[in-house]
Amino acid sequence: MDPVTHGLIGATASQSFANKRTFRAAVLTGLASAMLADLDVFISDASDPLLNLEMHRQFTHSIFFIPFGALVATLVIWWLVKKYLTLKETYFYSLAGYATAGIMDYFTSYGVQLFWPFTDQRFSLDIISVFDPVFSLGIIILTGIAFFKRKRNYAWLAIAWMILYLSFGFFQQQKSTRIAEEIASSRGHTITKLIVKPTIANQLVWSVRYESLDTLYTYGIRLFPFSEPIIYKGETAPLLDWRDEFNNFKGTILYDDIERFSKLSDDFLIKHPDHENVIGDARYSMLPTTLSPLWGIEIDTTRPDQHIDFGTYRDASPEVRQDFMDMLFGRKIP
């Protein structure tokens, strides 16, 4: 999730059991602690562009790192709140705030290494966008009221709001999944892999991508309560058999980097349609119906012993934005 929402959720967790004496200091402690986990975005190496992607949502988001992350947060924050909190209180409020970071990212896409170091597998539920203003607004209002009134009842209402909103996302996803399976069945496709996730900043338009016989199919599905679903047929593209295509480079840094990127992309790799020599992560695009990856790696076979370049390829043109808004408000006719 975005850093602001992370901080607000951490503040909510801390204030949910704070008393009036410690209330506001607890809020600030929980807010800062929850945001601390995302400092992993600064772990990078200019010579190895994929390192930053691998480290984000890694050890700092593991459930096993929570006690240590809370300890680091305590040592940093206590000097600011020691007039209001004991060291023990600071640690427990930090623990409550920090614990929310990895868990809340688990509800989004991309994946979190929740059980690092025992496994480097990324887990995600894909039921809420990394940025959802409706979700965040409810937390802002209720957490803000709790802060000014110093009443934890409002914090519990904020938690209830989060549970309600995430539950709505879960049911929307399940409905989208059933529709996706029906679409594939009607076309005689056997689904090998399926990704169903919300598009940016909403729970109404869902992105569907499924693999069948090494081909990737995309659909957009608009689900508005008490209305019939609107299905937008998208593009298709062959998935890249990178192991075969780059077999001659096995043992090189080039091959290893493609393998690393494939793992980060859950093996949903395609050739970017608009950028030559770019392999893209096909799970993400500006529209749910297109296969123009938002990011990818540029392959230079003349430099097999150097790390690949990583780039972003977002197309936020007025036409793309208009297409998305038409889907969101149901104005686009399939």
Side-chain angles (χ1 to χ4, degrees):
M1 290 183 171
D2 64 277
V4 173
T5 305
H6 263 313
L8 291 169
I9 294 172
T12 301
S14 295
Q15 68 184 189
S16 66
F17 64 93
N19 56 43
K20 284 199 172 184
R21 178 185 63 83
T22 64
F23 202 90
R24 291 180 178 173
V27 170
L28 296 175
T29 302
L31 185 145
S33 300
M35 297 175 72
L36 186 68
D38 277 340
L39 290 180
D40 59 6
V41 297
F42 296 106
I43 302 175
S44 62
D45 182 348
S47 67
D48 183 5
L50 291 183
L51 179 65
N52 180 259
L53 291 178
E54 291 175 326
M55 296 304 295
H56 184 43
R57 295 191 177 185
Q58 199 222 33
F59 73 95
T60 60
H61 290 63
S62 169
I63 61 173
F64 300 109
F65 190 75
I66 290 172
F68 305 101
L71 179 60
V72 173
T74 300
L75 296 176
V76 173
I77 298 166
W78 190 62
W79 300 103
L80 301 175
V81 298
K82 60 183 180 179
K83 289 184 179 180
Y84 313 99
L85 302 177
T86 65
L87 188 62
K88 183 178 179 181
E89 287 172 331
T90 306
Y91 179 77
F92 280 114
Y93 290 133
S94 295
L95 187 68
Y98 194 93
T100 64
I103 293 171
M104 294 310 299
D105 275 338
Y106 170 55
F107 291 107
T108 67
S109 59
Y110 187 70
V112 183
Q113 293 191 30
L114 278 179
F115 303 109
W116 182 92
F118 300 103
T119 175
D120 60 359
Q121 181 180 351
R122 291 180 180 267
F123 298 87
S124 62
L125 287 180
D126 298 333
I127 61 175
I128 187 171
S129 170
V130 292
F131 169 67
D132 191 314
V134 176
F135 179 71
S136 300
L137 182 61
I139 303 171
I140 289 171
I141 293 172
L142 293 168
T143 302
I145 294 174
F147 180 80
F148 286 108
K149 288 183 174 291
R150 288 191 286 187
K151 290 185 177 181
R152 57 189 180 191
N153 289 347
Y154 291 99
W156 285 105
L157 284 176
I159 292 172
W161 163 251
M162 286 186 265
I163 293 172
L164 180 65
Y165 198 87
L166 293 172
S167 297
F168 175 68
F170 173 78
F171 288 115
Q172 289 282 86
Q173 185 198 54
Q174 294 304 300
K175 188 173 182 179
S176 297
T177 299
R178 289 194 297 270
I179 294 172
E181 291 171 344
E182 291 170 0
I183 292 171
S185 177
S186 69
R187 299 189 63 180
H189 295 161
T190 299
I191 297 178
T192 309
K193 287 183 179 179
L194 173 65
I195 293 179
V196 179
K197 58 186 179 65
T199 53
I200 189 70
N202 76 98
Q203 294 273 34
L204 300 180
V205 180
W206 289 72
S207 171
V208 170
R209 284 153 201 263
Y210 70 80
E211 175 190 350
S212 180
L213 296 178
D214 298 324
T215 300
L216 190 62
Y217 299 84
T218 65
Y219 287 88
I221 301 176
R222 182 182 187 271
L223 297 176
F224 193 83
F226 312 111
S227 299
E228 287 296 313
I230 301 177
I231 300 172
Y232 301 107
K233 185 177 179 180
E235 299 174 346
T236 64
L239 284 165
L240 178 65
D241 186 359
W242 62 269
R243 293 175 180 84
D244 179 66
E245 183 163 337
F246 297 96
N247 185 60
N248 293 337
F249 295 92
K250 202 166 187 178
T252 66
I253 294 176
L254 172 69
Y255 187 92
D256 291 343
D257 279 358
I258 298 174
E259 185 172 31
R260 291 165 66 196
F261 187 65
S262 176
K263 185 175 182 180
L264 288 166
S265 307
D266 199 23
D267 218 17
F268 275 88
L269 299 185
I270 61 171
K271 291 189 175 181
H272 201 293
D274 303 317
H275 298 273
E276 190 176 1
N277 299 326
V278 170
I279 297 174
D281 181 346
R283 298 174 300 170
Y284 300 94
S285 60
M286 293 298 293
L287 294 173
T289 52
T290 61
L291 281 169
S292 295
L294 294 180
W295 50 75
I297 54 175
E298 185 172 354
I299 304 302
D300 186 351
T301 56
T302 65
R303 302 186 306 162
D305 292 317
Q306 296 184 38
H307 285 294
I308 50 83
D309 291 324
F310 175 81
T312 56
Y313 308 94
R314 293 177 175 85
D315 176 11
S317 65
E319 294 79 13
V320 170
R321 295 199 302 270
Q322 187 61 54
D323 277 349
F324 178 75
M325 296 305 292
D326 287 344
M327 289 184 191
L328 182 61
F329 290 102
R331 298 190 296 253
K332 187 177 180 66
I333 306 301

